[in-house]
Amino acid sequence: MPQGCGTWPAIWETDEANWPNGGEIDIVEGVNDQGPNTITLHTSPGCTMPASRDQTGTSLQLDCNTAVNGDAGCGVQAPTALSYGPTFNDNGGGWVAVERTSSYIKVWFWARNDASVPTDVENGALSVDSSNWGTPTAYFPNTNCDIASHFDANNIVINLTFCGDWAGSVYAFSGCPSTCVDYVNNNPSAFVNAYFDFASLLVYT
């Protein structure tokens, strides 16, 4: 996973031509090496999440509407620092899984040394059974959000932004030196580990 002051790596899904009406799922996202991972939905109006739900992560804002609170979305913070950034890398990475149905969107994370990682996930099986995966890190039910109408066919996006709206705006509070733009411009050697390395990327239908 990309790391370094000024970095904003993300693994996400959206329909670029129909955003935000087609929805957005931020699966892995963070800035300036500040974990843990934040999993977030961004939608058109009319999609909110219940405060109490069956997940291991911590709910943040409950309204997924992009027009609310500067497009913060309805986020869930993962319960472990091993889910993001240098801590994730130093621990050997891990597994992230997403399940999307018309009833819910679920996201799981297992660290590399997690004894509870399901066998089908660990081995990249030809078929998987999410009913054996335990409680998800983030759970977004259709209680007050019609998943089918707020999310259309999405593309998987994997990108790294330097500074930008998020990493740049909170840079001064991240314990990083100088300003975001100056640091990125003047320290190319600081970004030798600013890249993604995937063992596999599997899609099941």
Side-chain angles (χ1 to χ4, degrees):
M1 178 183 299
Q3 66 181 65
C5 286
T7 57
W8 176 4
I11 304 170
W12 52 301
E13 299 178 7
T14 194
D15 176 359
E16 299 94 326
N18 191 34
W19 187 92
N21 296 323
E24 174 182 331
I25 308 170
D26 297 331
I27 303 162
V28 174
E29 188 176 31
V31 296
N32 303 321
D33 292 345
Q34 304 295 301
N37 181 41
T38 302
I39 303 156
T40 310
L41 303 187
H42 301 267
T43 69
S44 54
C47 178
T48 61
M49 291 298 130
S52 178
R53 44 199 149 127
D54 191 17
Q55 61 184 21
T56 62
T58 302
S59 297
L60 303 174
Q61 178 172 289
L62 301 178
D63 196 333
C64 309
N65 183 0
T66 58
V68 173
N69 194 23
D71 188 21
C74 52
V76 174
Q77 191 173 70
T80 172
L82 297 176
S83 60
Y84 180 80
T87 311
F88 173 92
N89 293 338
D90 292 345
N91 194 56
W95 295 266
V96 177
V98 181
E99 182 178 26
R100 175 180 154 186
T101 72
S102 59
S103 299
Y104 58 77
I105 295 170
K106 294 180 179 180
V107 179
W108 290 262
F109 169 74
W110 300 273
R112 174 63 61 185
N113 55 358
D114 191 336
S116 70
V117 60
T119 302
D120 51 0
V121 173
E122 185 175 15
N123 296 330
L126 293 177
S127 62
V128 296
D129 183 0
S130 64
S131 67
N132 297 320
W133 292 358
T135 305
T137 305
Y139 173 46
F140 303 99
N142 66 350
T143 310
N144 296 300
C145 178
D146 183 358
I147 301 291
S149 67
H150 281 90
F151 292 87
D152 58 19
N154 281 184
N155 296 314
I156 298 172
V157 182
I158 301 168
N159 72 286
L160 170 61
T161 300
F162 289 104
C163 299
D165 292 342
W166 187 11
S169 65
V170 300
Y171 186 86
F173 309 102
S174 301
C176 291
S178 185
T179 64
C180 192
V181 173
D182 284 348
Y183 183 76
V184 170
N185 283 342
N186 296 311
N187 296 278
S189 63
F191 302 101
V192 293
N193 292 318
Y195 62 91
F196 285 101
D197 183 5
F198 295 93
S200 63
L201 180 61
L202 305 176
V203 178
Y204 300 89
T205 58

